[in-house]
Amino acid sequence: MARPRTFDEERALEAAMRAFWAVGYEATTTEDLCAATGLGRSSVYNTFRSKRELFEKALAHYMEVRTAAVLDLLGSDLPTREKIRALLWQTVDADPDDPDGCLVVNTMVEVAPRDPKIAECLRRDHDRRLEALRRAFLAGQRAGEIDGDRNPDDLACFVIATITGMRVLVRGGADRAAVEAVANTALRAF
Amino acid sequence: MARPRTFDEERALEAAMRAFWAVGYEATTTEDLCAATGLGRSSVYNTFRSKRELFEKALAHYMEVRTAAVLDLLGSDLPTREKIRALLWQTVDADPDDPDGCLVVNTMVEVAPRDPKIAECLRRDHDRRLEALRRAFLAGQRAGEIDGDRNPDDLACFVIATITGMRVLVRGGADRAAVEAVANTALRAF
DNA sequence: CTCATTTTGAACAGATCTATCCAAAAGTCA
DNA sequence: TGACTTTTGGATAGATCTGTTCAAAATGAG
């Protein structure tokens, strides 16, 4: 009954996400977003309403995909230590086609402190990953792989902090050996 | 022989530094900088030439002060593990009057990937802290406090990554208990 | 084919941001 | 006091950025 779109909204969202990821929220202009998505301004604004809403959607998309992968991994039947090792290695062996670092980390640094709504989105995502990690450590303790005296919540926080630190180092241009050293050292903390 | 300034350049730099620290480079406007320093636009531009150069000076000032404190601590005669504990506690017990997080970390995330000059400044600062940590771990190994089989460089990288991760968590609004848990867990990695 | 509806491109409006300009104010030194 | 120099505030220039408008193009339904 009407003219159909010539683009795939999901692909456009993915492209916008990568632009924000690479350059940051403030430094990404609406023209950058047009170039990245291949759309005109009208299409961008028709589809996503504003730069701000597009960013929210892009961030939500990022968290959905990435956190799902983390939950999958942590829900697998690997030994707990192997789960954590694989998790850390996601950062050591990051896809070279992806921008450096992590959109969640970048957003926590750049946007969250002055934007309560974004901060709340990040907090919810953080809690999901924290809970999955906690469960993994608890399972590891029940299986006798992890020292039962440790607090699973503390270990979960530690893993998240370690990955966050690695992501920042990578974004700062650290070489692979340094990132690998961090991961291997962290694995000895529990 | 001419009219003297009514302000202290160092204090103005400090105020600008805190503005960039709190809000980020892009989101800090020149008007924010005037408000933070208490200077007019003319004075700001007369003294610091541009927003960009002011930022470079502010970042350099931050690194000078903070890294000096780190080097002092690591050069003290505390046992190595106590040095590291004190270092981690600088983040756990951050001054409540300071903005959340760390200007170096924020800059590594927001600015470094698209600004080689800034990235180089950060790299030099990074190397100084890394080297001081490496020496501390080496001394700890010679004193028999730290396992001699570990690679001091790896341990130094790990400590930096841990602190970086903690800084980001704090900036994201993490509560003190979580940050403390990260620090205590990290101390068990070596 | 024709009508109704949506998409699309290009121009444009309005706000904001960085930086400059210029004259008045203020201090120093003779 | 008076000449000289720098600072300072306010206005403004020029660029850039977000978001809107509008008419033409495109497409499916009847």
Side-chain angles (χ1 to χ4, degrees):
Chain A
M1 192 164 174
R3 179 178 176 180
R5 285 180 178 160
T6 60
F7 64 91
D8 178 342
E9 185 170 326
E10 173 106 356
R11 295 185 77 83
L13 182 61
E14 185 94 10
M17 179 195 81
R18 298 175 80 84
F20 283 126
W21 184 357
V23 183
Y25 177 73
E26 292 291 342
T28 301
T29 68
T30 53
E31 207 174 317
D32 290 339
L33 293 169
C34 292
T37 59
L39 309 188
R41 305 179 76 71
S42 297
S43 301
V44 170
Y45 276 90
N46 255 354
T47 309
F48 302 107
R49 302 197 55 84
S50 71
K51 176 183 172 183
R52 165 63 197 253
E53 278 193 37
L54 174 52
F55 178 72
E56 285 178 21
K57 275 203 166 63
L59 177 62
H61 179 68
Y62 180 95
M63 294 192 298
E64 193 182 310
V65 171
R66 304 279 156 167
T67 300
V70 169
L71 299 196
D72 273 3
L73 175 58
L74 291 177
S76 72
D77 57 358
L78 288 170
T80 296
R81 192 171 300 274
E82 292 310 310
K83 290 179 184 174
I84 306 302
R85 183 191 308 278
L87 201 55
L88 296 174
W89 244 254
Q90 286 183 356
T91 298
V92 175
D93 281 328
D95 185 338
D97 292 339
D98 284 343
D100 283 335
C102 165
L103 180 59
V104 163
V105 171
N106 300 351
T107 303
M108 196 170 292
V109 166
E110 188 199 351
V111 184
R114 59 196 160 78
D115 191 321
K117 185 175 178 189
I118 296 287
E120 173 64 16
C121 292
L122 294 177
R123 204 189 54 69
R124 263 201 291 274
D125 181 64
H126 182 88
D127 286 349
R128 290 178 70 198
R129 285 180 305 187
L130 201 67
E131 174 63 12
L133 279 163
R134 200 181 64 81
R135 283 176 195 274
F137 279 115
L138 259 176
Q141 288 178 323
R142 279 197 296 264
E145 304 166 25
I146 305 286
D147 177 2
D149 289 344
R150 310 298 297 279
N151 180 340
D153 253 314
D154 290 0
L155 296 177
C157 280
F158 171 74
V159 169
I160 286 183
T162 300
I163 293 171
T164 301
M166 290 164 69
R167 292 288 197 178
V168 174
L169 295 197
V170 167
R171 193 157 175 89
D175 51 48
R176 186 199 157 94
V179 182
E180 217 173 308
V182 174
N184 283 323
T185 305
L187 282 167
R188 306 183 66 147
F190 52 88
Chain B
M1 193 165 174
R3 179 178 177 181
R5 286 181 178 160
T6 60
F7 64 92
D8 177 342
E9 184 169 327
E10 172 106 357
R11 294 185 76 82
L13 183 60
E14 184 94 11
M17 178 195 82
R18 298 174 79 83
F20 283 127
W21 183 359
V23 183
Y25 177 72
E26 292 292 341
T28 301
T29 68
T30 54
E31 206 174 318
D32 290 339
L33 293 168
C34 292
T37 59
L39 308 188
R41 307 180 75 72
S42 298
S43 301
V44 170
Y45 277 89
N46 254 355
T47 310
F48 302 107
R49 303 196 56 83
S50 69
K51 176 184 173 182
R52 165 63 196 255
E53 278 193 38
L54 175 51
F55 179 72
E56 285 177 21
K57 275 202 166 64
L59 177 61
H61 178 68
Y62 181 96
M63 293 191 298
E64 194 182 308
V65 172
R66 305 280 158 166
T67 299
V70 169
L71 299 195
D72 274 3
L73 175 58
L74 292 177
S76 71
D77 57 358
L78 288 171
T80 297
R81 193 171 299 274
E82 292 310 310
K83 290 179 184 174
I84 306 302
R85 184 190 309 279
L87 201 56
L88 295 175
W89 245 253
Q90 285 183 358
T91 298
V92 175
D93 281 328
D95 186 336
D97 291 339
D98 284 343
D100 283 335
C102 164
L103 180 58
V104 164
V105 171
N106 300 352
T107 302
M108 195 170 293
V109 167
E110 189 198 351
V111 184
R114 58 195 162 79
D115 191 320
K117 185 175 177 190
I118 296 287
E120 174 63 17
C121 292
L122 294 177
R123 204 190 53 72
R124 264 201 292 275
D125 182 64
H126 182 88
D127 286 348
R128 290 178 70 199
R129 285 179 305 184
L130 201 68
E131 174 62 14
L133 277 164
R134 199 182 65 82
R135 283 177 195 274
F137 279 115
L138 259 175
Q141 288 177 323
R142 279 195 297 265
E145 303 167 24
I146 305 286
D147 176 1
D149 290 342
R150 309 298 297 279
N151 180 339
D153 253 315
D154 290 359
L155 296 178
C157 280
F158 170 74
V159 169
I160 287 183
T162 299
I163 293 171
T164 302
M166 290 163 69
R167 292 289 198 179
V168 173
L169 295 197
V170 167
R171 193 157 175 87
D175 50 48
R176 186 200 158 95
V179 183
E180 218 174 308
V182 174
N184 283 323
T185 305
L187 283 168
R188 306 183 66 149
F190 51 88

